[in-house]
Amino acid sequence: MAYMTQKGYDKLVADLQKLETIERPAASAAIAEARDKGDLSENAEYDAAKEAQAKLEGRIAVLKQTIREAKIIDTKTLDTTTVNILATVGLKNVKNGMAMKYTIVSETEADLRAGKISVGTPIAQGLLGRQVGDVCNIKVPQGTVELEITSITYDE
């Protein structure tokens, strides 16, 4: 089950629609064009087009499954005293004083550049259920990091 905001859900639906209405016909056209070029047994362009179509169909299947299993959460109803999925958490690295902010999202919405980390990451797991002021010792691949929770908000 993928917990997400309405905005995240709408984005997945839009991505699926684009794949089905634009990219799928383009993939079929590429296969047809490659097929018209002759002998299929020695046609690398045809093989590449078929492989691209298979990858596209795989992405479509994954998106459909994610959409089917999606649980949309209204962030306005969530308790801001503890960290939960969809929380935006302000953090301070106790060792170096560096401030950071992450939003904990489902795997499908994760985007580190946008400050969205997957609920399955060590940092997110170490923060879930904690409160403002808590200091969390979280094991990450580089060792253990000590983070203090400075704020918890839920943005839409």
Side-chain angles (χ1 to χ4, degrees):
M1 183 173 305
Y3 293 98
M4 61 185 67
T5 62
Q6 183 66 49
K7 183 178 177 181
Y9 179 83
D10 292 343
K11 183 183 180 308
L12 288 179
V13 170
D15 289 348
L16 176 61
Q17 184 178 9
K18 178 184 173 200
L19 291 176
E20 289 182 327
T21 61
I22 297 171
E23 293 190 30
R24 182 183 272 163
S28 295
I31 291 170
E33 183 180 322
R35 190 176 326 138
D36 291 342
K37 292 186 178 178
D39 184 13
L40 298 182
S41 65
E42 296 179 10
N43 190 333
E45 189 176 333
Y46 177 78
D47 292 339
K50 289 292 282 182
E51 186 176 321
Q53 182 188 38
K55 286 180 182 178
L56 174 66
E57 292 301 327
R59 286 186 4 223
I60 288 171
V62 167
L63 271 176
K64 283 184 174 182
Q65 180 72 23
T66 302
I67 289 168
R68 233 184 341 268
E69 294 176 352
K71 172 119 173 83
I72 299 170
I73 296 177
D74 180 5
T75 55
K76 294 176 187 84
T77 63
L78 295 174
D79 175 19
T80 59
T81 62
T82 60
V83 176
N84 290 298
I85 191 162
L86 303 180
T88 299
V89 185
L91 301 166
K92 182 177 83 172
N93 185 316
V94 174
K95 187 174 184 177
N96 64 18
M98 186 175 133
M100 60 199 89
K101 189 180 280 194
Y102 294 118
T103 301
I104 300 172
V105 297
S106 67
E107 286 80 9
T108 58
E109 291 183 280
D111 179 1
L112 189 56
R113 289 187 182 140
K116 296 179 177 184
I117 60 172
S118 166
V119 69
T121 62
I123 291 176
Q125 288 293 304
L127 297 173
L128 290 174
R130 306 300 289 266
Q131 299 179 336
V132 172
D134 286 355
V135 175
C136 311
N137 290 309
I138 301 171
K139 289 184 182 179
V140 293
Q142 296 80 15
T144 300
V145 64
E146 195 172 8
L147 301 173
E148 179 183 353
I149 299 173
T150 58
S151 67
I152 302 170
T153 59
Y154 288 93
D155 306 321
E156 180 60 34

